[in-house]
Amino acid sequence: LGYAAEGKPVAGVAVRRIKSYEEVTALVVVAKNAGEYSISQVVIPDIAVIKHPDKRSKVTRAVDKFAGAVVRDKAGKTHKIDAVTGATRYQKRLYTYFNLMSAKVVEELVNNPDWPKTPLPEAQVGDAAQN
């Protein structure tokens, strides 16, 4: 989870291995903005594992559908992204994984776990940006 200066959680990340056409790593970022929780990014950093270009493209299109999607609105109602008509079982599986991952991130953000919050020192931020 990522916290604002006042200690409130404002973003979270879920990472896990998922099975699509091949086993790949999925990363889902959820951010809170104006009382809503939305997916700010879905990334499959090792997408090149999927060798067939058409299959890789199908996975990329599924990933693109999630960016910006609201997963919990201001009223507290959760929303899932449904697979498109004609989606393969592999694409449907991706939607299931991404919905589950984003729901778990929202759950953690809302619950605001009571664990030690360690601020990132400014020197590390600058050093990371230079690397």
Side-chain angles (χ1 to χ4, degrees):
L1 298 182
Y3 297 86
E6 67 277 358
K8 300 281 186 191
V10 293
V13 178
V15 179
R16 72 170 289 166
R17 298 288 291 168
I18 64 173
K19 179 71 173 145
S20 177
Y21 295 99
E22 301 292 338
E23 190 171 299
V24 293
T25 306
L27 181 138
V28 176
V29 181
V30 176
K32 184 178 182 182
N33 188 14
E36 291 184 331
Y37 296 89
S38 61
I39 297 174
S40 60
Q41 195 169 20
V42 176
V43 178
I44 299 181
D46 55 355
I47 192 133
V49 169
I50 303 171
K51 300 295 183 203
H52 194 279
D54 289 340
K55 292 177 181 177
R56 192 170 49 244
S57 177
K58 287 178 183 180
V59 171
T60 301
R61 283 195 307 272
V63 165
D64 290 345
K65 296 246 185 242
F66 276 81
V70 173
V71 291
R72 183 176 168 151
D73 61 25
K74 292 177 184 178
K77 183 178 180 200
T78 58
H79 302 271
K80 292 192 310 186
I81 309 290
D82 292 327
V84 295
T85 302
T88 67
R89 69 177 190 253
Y90 302 105
Q91 290 168 306
K92 289 178 184 176
R93 192 179 296 156
L94 287 172
Y95 281 79
T96 300
Y97 279 123
F98 296 155
N99 280 317
L100 175 65
M101 292 169 73
S102 61
K104 289 299 182 183
V105 171
V106 169
E107 182 181 318
E108 289 297 318
L109 289 167
V110 169
N111 290 336
N112 190 10
D114 187 24
W115 55 35
K117 296 162 184 70
T118 307
L120 185 62
E122 289 298 320
Q124 289 180 349
V125 173
D127 293 344
Q130 292 175 3
N131 290 333

